[in-house]
Amino acid sequence: MIRHLLSGADLDAATATRILDTAAEMATVAGREVKKLPALRGRTVVNLFYEDSTRTRISFEAAAKRLSADVINFSAKGSSVAKGESLKDTALTLQAMGADAVVVRHPASGAAHRLAEWVDGSVVNAGDGTHEHPTQALLDAYTMRSRLGRLAGLSVAVVGDVLHSRVARSNVLLLSTLGAKVTLVGPPTLIPVDIAAALAPDTTVCYDLDAVLPTSDVVMMLRVQRERMSDSYFPSAREYARRYGLDGPRMRRLPEHAIVMHPGPMNRGMEITPEVADSPRSTIVEQVANGVSVRMAVLYLLLGGNNA
């Protein structure tokens, strides 16, 4: 097992499959009256979040607590970071306090990799800038496998703001490793030049959402990250929704077995309509639940199950 989880590229097929299989075992804990395992008793997990987060932070906290680890939640707001403390000094402080694992979210791409150089414990990348978010890709893969029974051979359309999406990058790397074929779909202004070839050679790019729907097993809608946009990447929200939003008529063009995913939070009415988000095909709520199981598996294998 690897020491850190910083990128989807860190995972070969065997390691990724081991995490998914372990997550399936961890999911059984959610059905128990006492949702606790003693696997990480005495270990300390620090959630180091420099960006606002709801799903990811709470998911990691729940995962660590269900494994009986001690959890320290660190928010940049109200900490010494507000006084100018650097990431390195914060890392050295956590190291001195005996952190066994640091889960980090940071607005700068590459921050998780730098942090891994400064601490002795394991580092888990919970999102760095517009770079990567590997545990989101793992929970997405777990959800696909749970719903469709396999990953190899699936056709996955990742739709929307690829340019600013760390979720898209991690998913392309992981799903390609596990045998799925990924197509990136969106306006030309939101798909970086040569990104497909740079991430995985089998990945393709398409600018027409309607063209890929009939052959897609999975459609993953990405949030339009307007907070990261300093320029105008499309004429208007209405125009974006018309060309790249997933609504009822488009959903009905999908194969019968196909599922719809979204990493959240959603811009309802823009990239996805309420009809689609709340439909039986939607896995959005499942993804949140599966995130806890997958993150339990990651923490367990990094900290307690390397020799299991």
Side-chain angles (χ1 to χ4, degrees), residues 9-308:
D10 293 340
L11 301 170
D12 58 23
T15 303
T17 301
R18 185 182 181 193
I19 293 173
L20 298 182
D21 290 344
T22 303
E25 296 175 19
M26 294 296 179
T28 63
V29 176
R32 300 181 184 178
E33 186 176 346
V34 178
K35 300 175 176 61
K36 280 259 189 179
L37 293 174
L40 298 185
R41 184 177 293 152
R43 299 298 191 105
T44 300
V45 176
V46 177
N47 289 327
L48 180 62
F49 277 62
Y50 285 78
E51 284 187 326
D52 293 336
S53 169
T54 301
R55 291 164 184 77
T56 303
R57 184 183 60 79
I58 293 175
S59 181
F60 269 110
E61 183 176 357
K65 287 183 174 177
R66 287 186 185 179
L67 292 169
S68 301
D70 296 318
V71 180
I72 299 172
N73 288 316
F74 177 102
S75 174
K77 294 175 182 176
S79 71
S80 295
V81 172
K83 301 176 183 178
E85 183 172 81
S86 67
L87 177 62
K88 182 173 184 178
D89 288 332
T90 300
L92 295 176
T93 299
L94 298 176
Q95 177 68 35
M97 292 178 178
D100 296 295
V102 180
V103 179
V104 61
R105 169 166 287 194
H106 199 282
S109 299
H113 289 76
R114 294 307 304 270
L115 188 66
E117 298 172 0
W118 297 325
V119 299
D120 293 335
S122 296
V123 174
V124 180
N125 184 0
D128 60 330
T130 58
H131 182 225
E132 282 211 50
H133 193 352
T135 60
Q136 180 69 43
L138 281 165
L139 74 87
D140 290 340
Y142 180 89
T143 303
M144 292 177 206
R145 194 176 75 164
S146 298
R147 274 284 192 114
L148 301 174
R150 63 189 172 95
L151 289 167
L154 290 182
S155 293
V156 181
V158 178
V159 183
D161 186 4
V162 175
L163 179 65
H164 301 101
S165 177
R166 48 199 175 203
V167 173
R169 287 168 175 79
S170 289
N171 264 294
V172 169
L173 291 167
L174 181 66
L175 293 174
S176 299
T177 297
L178 293 172
K181 178 173 175 54
V182 181
T183 301
L184 300 174
V185 184
T189 51
L190 289 176
I191 298 182
V193 177
D194 295 334
I195 186 173
L199 291 174
D202 292 337
T203 302
T204 56
V205 173
C206 181
Y207 304 119
D208 183 357
L209 175 58
D210 294 304
V212 303
L213 293 176
T215 57
S216 295
D217 302 298
V218 180
V219 178
M220 183 183 297
M221 305 306 295
L222 301 173
R223 181 173 67 87
V224 176
Q225 300 187 41
R226 285 177 284 192
E227 74 278 7
R228 298 185 189 274
M229 295 181 181
S230 55
D231 297 311
S232 179
Y233 289 88
F234 45 85
S236 67
R238 179 179 293 182
E239 176 69 10
Y240 182 91
R242 188 180 70 81
R243 295 201 59 189
Y244 297 103
L246 188 62
D247 56 14
R250 279 193 167 122
M251 179 178 67
R252 287 184 278 278
R253 296 190 62 202
L254 291 167
E256 255 185 60
H257 65 275
I259 59 174
V260 176
M261 308 182 75
H262 195 299
M266 296 177 283
N267 294 312
R268 285 179 180 251
M270 189 169 181
E271 68 254 7
I272 191 168
T273 63
E275 177 188 356
V276 177
D278 301 329
S279 74
R281 289 187 177 220
S282 169
T283 67
I284 296 168
V285 176
E286 286 173 53
Q287 288 170 261
V288 176
N290 292 339
V292 177
S293 301
V294 166
R295 284 156 181 149
M296 286 176 71
V298 168
L299 292 173
Y300 169 71
L301 291 171
L302 287 177
L303 298 181
N306 283 324
N307 300 317

